[in-house]
């Protein structure tokens, strides 16, 4: 199993920045991709960005140019630097890790961290 703990959310004014962190523990060597997702009340969870263990990065269009995903493998921690935040970025942000081993694949979620951007 993999345990994920997010931190770094908060309340910020439009144009401000936040840095989200996701600390992974447990069977971290089985992780092949980590990502950030967001979800608001009554909405489906949607993908924001992801980074593979090889360092391949992809972003949702709305995040390109404003958000930067990174990973510190030595610390087993993933980050999401969020700049030029907009009110529409307000949501709860979740960390996800996908693992693979001889038994198959699995997906793990953190508890989420709230990001609120005021206009």
């Amino acid at each position: 199993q993999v345990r994920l703990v997010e931190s770094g959310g908060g309340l910020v004014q439009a144009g401000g920045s936040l840095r989200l962190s996701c600390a992974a523990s447990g069977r971290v060597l089985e992780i092949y991709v980590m990502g950030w997702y967001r979800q608001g009340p009554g909405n489906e969870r949607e993908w924001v960005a992801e980074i593979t263990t090889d360092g391949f990065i992809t972003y949702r269009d709305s995040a390109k140019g404003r958000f930067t995903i990174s990973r510190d493998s030595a610390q087993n921690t993933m980050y999401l630097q969020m700049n030029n935040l907009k009110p529409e970025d307000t949501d709860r942000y979740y960390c996800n890790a996908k693992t693979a081993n001889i038994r198959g694949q699995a997906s793990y979620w953190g508890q989420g961290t709230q990001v609120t951007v005021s206009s």
Side-chain angles (χ1 to χ4, degrees):
Q1 288 224 350
V2 172
R3 181 170 182 256
L4 303 171
V5 180
E6 301 99 330
S7 61
L11 172 63
V12 64
Q13 288 188 333
S17 298
L18 285 172
R19 188 193 196 204
L20 307 184
S21 299
C22 172
S25 60
R27 305 178 76 93
V28 296
L29 293 181
E30 296 178 359
I31 296 174
Y32 66 90
V33 62
M34 295 184 72
W36 289 99
Y37 290 71
R38 57 183 288 181
Q39 186 174 24
N43 296 330
E44 291 189 357
R45 193 167 295 185
E46 61 182 30
W47 169 76
V48 176
E50 68 180 24
I51 181 168
T52 70
T53 51
D54 295 331
F56 186 72
I57 292 172
T58 51
Y59 295 100
R60 186 179 189 87
D61 283 347
S62 60
K64 291 178 181 178
R66 299 189 300 125
F67 295 0
T68 303
I69 190 171
S70 61
R71 185 175 173 182
D72 184 337
S73 296
Q75 299 295 325
N76 295 318
T77 302
M78 178 181 64
Y79 303 97
L80 185 68
Q81 178 67 43
M82 310 168 72
N83 297 329
N84 190 24
L85 282 161
K86 304 175 181 180
E88 52 263 41
D89 294 320
T90 295
D91 256 338
R92 192 164 185 84
Y93 284 71
Y94 294 86
C95 173
N96 174 263
K98 293 180 175 61
T99 64
N101 55 39
I102 59 172
R103 294 182 297 276
Q105 297 186 345
S107 181
Y108 298 92
W109 296 94
Q111 82 289 349
T113 185
Q114 180 66 35
V115 171
T116 302
V117 184
S118 63
S119 57

